[in-house]
Amino acid sequence: MTSSHRLLLENAQQVVLVCVRGERFLTGSALRSLAVLEGASVVVGTDGLIKAVGPAAVIQSQFSGETFEERIDCSGKCILPGLVDAHTHPVWAGERVHEFAMKLAGATYMDIHQAGGGINFTVEHTRQASEEELFCSFQQRLQCMMRAGTTLVECKSGYGLNLETELKMLRVIERARRELHLSLSATYCGAHSVPKGKTAVEAADDIINHHLPRLKELSRNGDLHVDNIDVFCEKGVFDLDTTRRILEGGKKMGLQINFHGDELHPMKAAELGAELGAQAISHLEEVSDEGIAAMAAARCSAVLLPTTAYMLRLKQPRARKMLDEGVIVALGSDFNPNAYCFSMTRVQSSCLCCVERLPR
Ligand SMILES: N=CN[C@@H](CCC(=O)O)C(=O)O
Ligand SMILES: [Zn+2]
């Protein structure tokens, strides 16, 4: 009996597989020899999963007599895996274009933040927005990302800070996970900023005593799927101690640690993340040498955000040093109202600024 498949991508000049031995990541010198097949075909099954990849002649004989809903002649073309955007803040209301003028006039990210703008401005607008309104703008943003080649997006909450709005944002992400054709990783980021009227310690207590237990309950019932916990560990936001308490609380309920660290000031966030078994730490413009070594040993991924460093006029993260030390390096667009970039190919080309050339 002949079986039917969704798609045959035939005879591509190149198929980029990245790795062929089931590796979850490549580090160090392995990054110099990506797996690339010349003259190859790909078969996609009716479930949307890849059924076979191999030399065009082999695939042709293996699948002769079988039917495909669609066949695409890929001669002269290159097939790439979908791009992964490992850090975004895509659910929000309230444009912040006025901040660009402030930055051009010399204000730093923290000047705007401390004057009540930045994240605080977005929090006020996001609290007022309806769930439907947030979903519609989020959906449009995800479509722009998909058009730019992204197929998996890490999406953070963090513009609510109170439980009610954090849950509203997570429900919007949950709905997109169920309704849209791309993969999402959901991150609870209730410690994105210290809410007005609270100290960082009070905000941390509220998260640990109220937010996390409610998230646990909703996850247990299958109402929400949250994968990661995040904190903005930064001078004037959450210091190392409050960051540790919040991350440990999240880890205890089964969330992966994936947080903002060592962005504007050296905080020893990388050292903390390595100690806590973090899955990933983002930014790292100010990471120490010891932090890099600790991340490499702990197999903790560095999520670099070169377009943000460019837009905020920060120094670029030391990607070459991280790669040479064996750190797992990933990239993110950091899409947010202050860093409006949908495209991972744009991020990749900006990253050339933070990776010095390899010696030949
Ligand atoms: N640094 C903290 N969070 C975001 C910015 C969010 C915002 O400015 O709204 C970042 O990763 O760059
Ligand atoms: Zn961020």
Side-chain angles (χ1 to χ4, degrees):
M1 199 178 88
T2 59
S3 62
S4 158
H5 305 279
R6 182 178 299 174
L7 179 64
L8 174 63
L9 297 165
E10 261 177 311
N11 203 23
Q13 189 167 332
Q14 288 189 323
V15 176
V16 179
L17 299 174
V18 183
C19 50
V20 279
R21 289 184 204 89
E23 302 95 324
R24 290 187 55 229
F25 49 79
L26 298 180
T27 54
S29 56
L31 285 164
R32 297 184 193 204
S33 44
L34 299 184
V36 179
L37 291 181
E38 307 282 338
S41 300
V42 179
V43 176
V44 179
T46 46
D47 56 5
L49 300 178
I50 293 173
K51 293 295 164 212
V53 181
V58 174
I59 296 286
Q60 196 179 23
S61 73
Q62 201 180 332
F63 288 84
S64 70
E66 300 194 14
T67 58
F68 300 91
E69 287 165 32
E70 193 180 359
R71 302 171 82 113
I72 300 177
D73 174 13
C74 295
S75 344
K77 297 190 168 56
C78 174
I79 300 174
L80 295 169
L83 303 176
V84 175
D85 190 341
H87 183 133
T88 76
H89 302 257
V91 182
W92 48 267
E95 298 291 343
R96 281 175 28 208
V97 277
H98 57 282
E99 287 181 10
F100 287 97
M102 292 163 81
K103 278 184 229 139
L104 286 174
T108 65
Y109 181 79
M110 266 305 168
D111 291 339
I112 297 170
H113 183 82
Q114 275 153 4
I119 295 174
N120 304 308
F121 178 94
T122 308
V123 166
E124 272 170 37
H125 287 76
T126 306
R127 284 182 182 176
Q128 282 160 23
S130 72
E131 204 160 316
E132 190 60 27
E133 198 182 314
L134 289 174
F135 180 77
C136 288
S137 53
F138 177 43
Q139 186 177 20
Q140 282 166 7
R141 290 166 194 152
L142 289 176
Q143 274 158 358
C144 292
M145 291 176 188
M146 277 194 274
R147 276 202 294 274
T150 299
T151 54
L152 194 163
V153 188
E154 185 265 3
C155 302
K156 300 176 193 295
S157 68
Y159 291 124
L161 310 182
N162 60 25
L163 181 58
E164 183 194 340
T165 313
E166 287 298 312
L167 291 181
K168 178 169 71 175
M169 295 181 73
L170 291 171
R171 282 196 301 272
V172 164
I173 297 170
E174 182 69 29
R175 180 172 163 197
R177 187 204 281 270
R178 291 180 189 185
E179 293 182 13
L180 307 181
H181 295 290
L182 90 170
S183 305
L184 303 182
S185 174
T187 300
Y188 161 73
C189 187
H192 195 197
S193 180
V194 178
K196 267 192 203 146
K198 281 199 166 82
T199 63
V201 170
E202 288 165 348
D205 290 343
D206 186 35
I207 287 170
I208 293 164
N209 299 328
H210 300 112
H211 292 212
L212 296 182
R214 183 75 182 125
L215 275 187
K216 194 173 170 182
E217 195 179 308
L218 291 165
S219 306
R220 207 188 299 120
N221 299 342
D223 295 327
L224 279 183
H225 293 88
V226 182
D227 304 289
N228 318 292
I229 182 153
D230 196 346
V231 175
F232 185 14
C233 177
E234 183 57 62
K235 199 168 157 189
V237 191
F238 290 96
D239 66 11
L240 213 58
D241 283 346
T242 45
T243 300
R244 172 193 288 278
R245 287 178 54 221
I246 297 167
L247 295 178
E248 282 177 341
K251 186 177 176 182
K252 218 180 280 168
M253 61 170 272
L255 299 177
Q256 301 185 116
I257 297 176
N258 171 16
F259 71 113
H260 292 68
D262 296 323
E263 176 185 1
L264 307 173
H265 299 91
M267 299 289 292
K268 297 203 181 297
E271 289 87 332
L272 175 70
E275 182 199 324
L276 297 179
Q279 183 79 17
I281 307 173
S282 289
H283 284 288
L284 299 165
E285 290 82 353
E286 298 288 344
V287 68
S288 67
D289 288 351
E290 294 73 23
I292 292 177
M295 286 181 71
R299 287 297 192 222
C300 171
S301 306
V303 177
L304 306 185
L305 312 171
T307 44
T308 302
Y310 170 74
M311 282 184 258
L312 297 184
R313 288 185 274 199
L314 308 177
K315 67 182 186 204
Q316 286 290 342
R318 291 183 291 154
R320 167 54 53 214
K321 165 103 177 143
M322 293 180 204
L323 291 166
D324 288 348
E325 299 268 329
V327 176
I328 305 163
V329 174
L331 294 175
S333 68
D334 193 17
F335 175 82
N336 74 66
N338 153 72
Y340 219 100
C341 175
F342 292 117
S343 158
M344 286 307 296
T345 50
R346 179 78 191 85
V347 173
Q348 286 167 351
S349 51
S350 303
C351 198
L352 295 176
C353 316
C354 58
V355 186
E356 294 147 38
R357 287 169 71 114
L358 281 170
R360 288 248 157 226

